[in-house]
Amino acid sequence: MIKKITSSCFLLLLFFSSWGIADAMDRVVLTSVQTGRAETRIYLLADKKSWMDYENFVIQVGEQAQGILYHFPDWYHGKYDAELHFVDVSGDKQKDIIVVLNNDKAGLGKPIKDLHILNQQHDLLFKEVLIEPISTALNRLTKIEQQGNDVTIYAGREKYKMDVSKYHFVNPRTPHFVVDTMEYAIESGTLIGIVGTYVVRDDWVQGGLIGRLKIKYKWNGKRYIAETTTFKPVIPEQ
């Protein structure tokens, strides 16, 4: 749940936001989007718990006293750089806030990258909206079949066939999509998710990457859903 906060301590927070200095509560600015207008500058702040753990996130919109803070106490980030974008991905010609966090507490088998989107409603007011879970999208739009060394990947309406023996992997196992390598990008106003596809993902048996699945998301008025998927194979070394 998003809590919109306006308070007299905004100017104090703004001071630390502008200089990137932690306050007594170890409040830091992880990243920001600088625009030509003070009221549209976006800051991503959090409490620094350790050298790699950040919690109690706040998104600050604007640099004036009438600016707005959005509080997200359940978000978590660790280790790698956070990403912050301010671009229209809903298609309504209003810029939205996209936050990508590295959630290494997500657990085995869950996406390490956490994606959050705040759609702009009007007048620089934002609301966090739902995103179709990547596991749901993969089950709905993709499938992998294997017969010996022949692997077929179904991505949307397309079908991709390959002989995995050409990759010369040692002891390859059942191919599968690996969501812990999830990456996000924005291409021409479209939100993109990229998922690695591996013959094997195991610490004890060697395998490797055979391709990447590209997912395009679309806003349907209620949430962002995976609309299309395409697969791009990795060319095996000769």
Side-chain angles (χ1 to χ4, degrees):
M1 177 180 295
I2 300 176
K3 298 179 181 178
K4 186 171 66 177
I5 304 173
T6 57
S7 71
S8 59
C9 66
F10 177 82
L11 292 177
L12 180 60
L13 177 60
L14 174 59
F15 173 81
F16 293 116
S17 300
S18 302
W19 293 95
I21 301 174
D23 62 13
M25 298 297 292
D26 288 326
R27 175 70 81 187
V28 298
V29 178
L30 285 177
T31 185
S32 64
V33 175
Q34 299 295 319
T35 65
R37 299 164 52 197
E39 65 271 20
T40 61
R41 291 170 186 162
I42 312 296
Y43 296 88
L44 181 65
L45 304 99
D47 288 343
K48 186 175 183 180
K49 301 297 183 180
S50 72
W51 69 274
M52 61 173 288
D53 294 300
Y54 299 87
E55 296 176 339
N56 300 325
F57 279 82
V58 167
I59 289 178
Q60 175 181 312
V61 180
E63 291 190 348
Q64 303 301 320
Q66 65 269 25
I68 299 174
L69 308 181
Y70 296 89
H71 182 51
F72 303 93
D74 297 327
W75 289 6
Y76 168 82
H77 175 76
K79 195 172 183 179
Y80 299 109
D81 291 341
E83 297 177 28
L84 179 66
H85 305 274
F86 187 43
V87 63
D88 177 22
V89 290
S90 61
D92 62 1
K93 298 183 180 180
Q94 295 191 102
K95 290 186 177 181
D96 310 299
I97 298 173
I98 299 93
V99 181
V100 184
L101 303 177
N102 179 64
N103 189 354
D104 54 5
K105 287 186 176 180
L108 185 63
K110 298 181 180 180
I112 287 180
K113 295 285 186 180
D114 272 357
L115 177 68
H116 304 276
I117 301 179
L118 282 70
N119 276 5
Q120 186 171 174
Q121 308 297 298
H122 57 84
D123 300 329
L124 290 176
L125 296 177
F126 297 85
K127 178 182 179 182
E128 186 176 23
V129 294
L130 298 175
I131 307 166
E132 180 180 20
I134 185 60
S135 57
T136 303
L138 291 176
N139 288 335
R140 182 169 60 84
L141 296 174
T142 65
K143 184 172 64 172
I144 299 179
E145 293 181 349
Q146 180 183 24
Q147 292 183 344
N149 287 320
D150 295 325
V151 172
T152 303
I153 295 177
Y154 299 87
R157 296 181 179 180
E158 300 296 325
K159 182 170 65 174
Y160 306 84
K161 291 186 176 181
M162 62 185 66
D163 179 359
V164 295
S165 67
K166 295 180 179 180
Y167 292 83
H168 306 293
F169 295 144
V170 178
N171 298 326
R173 295 185 178 180
T174 304
H176 58 285
F177 300 118
V178 181
V179 296
D180 65 0
T181 62
M182 189 75 178
E183 299 292 338
Y184 296 101
I186 298 169
E187 298 179 359
S188 301
T190 299
L191 178 67
I192 304 295
I194 302 170
V195 179
T197 309
Y198 287 79
V199 169
V200 62
R201 184 72 169 182
D202 190 287
D203 291 339
W204 300 100
V205 181
Q206 295 183 22
L209 183 74
I210 60 175
R212 294 178 176 86
L213 191 70
K214 184 176 182 179
I215 305 170
K216 290 187 177 181
Y217 288 87
K218 182 179 181 180
W219 173 247
N220 69 355
K222 295 183 178 179
R223 64 174 180 163
Y224 286 90
I225 62 170
E227 183 181 35
T228 61
T229 59
T230 54
F231 177 76
K232 184 177 181 180
V234 171
I235 305 301
E237 296 181 359
Q238 301 298 323

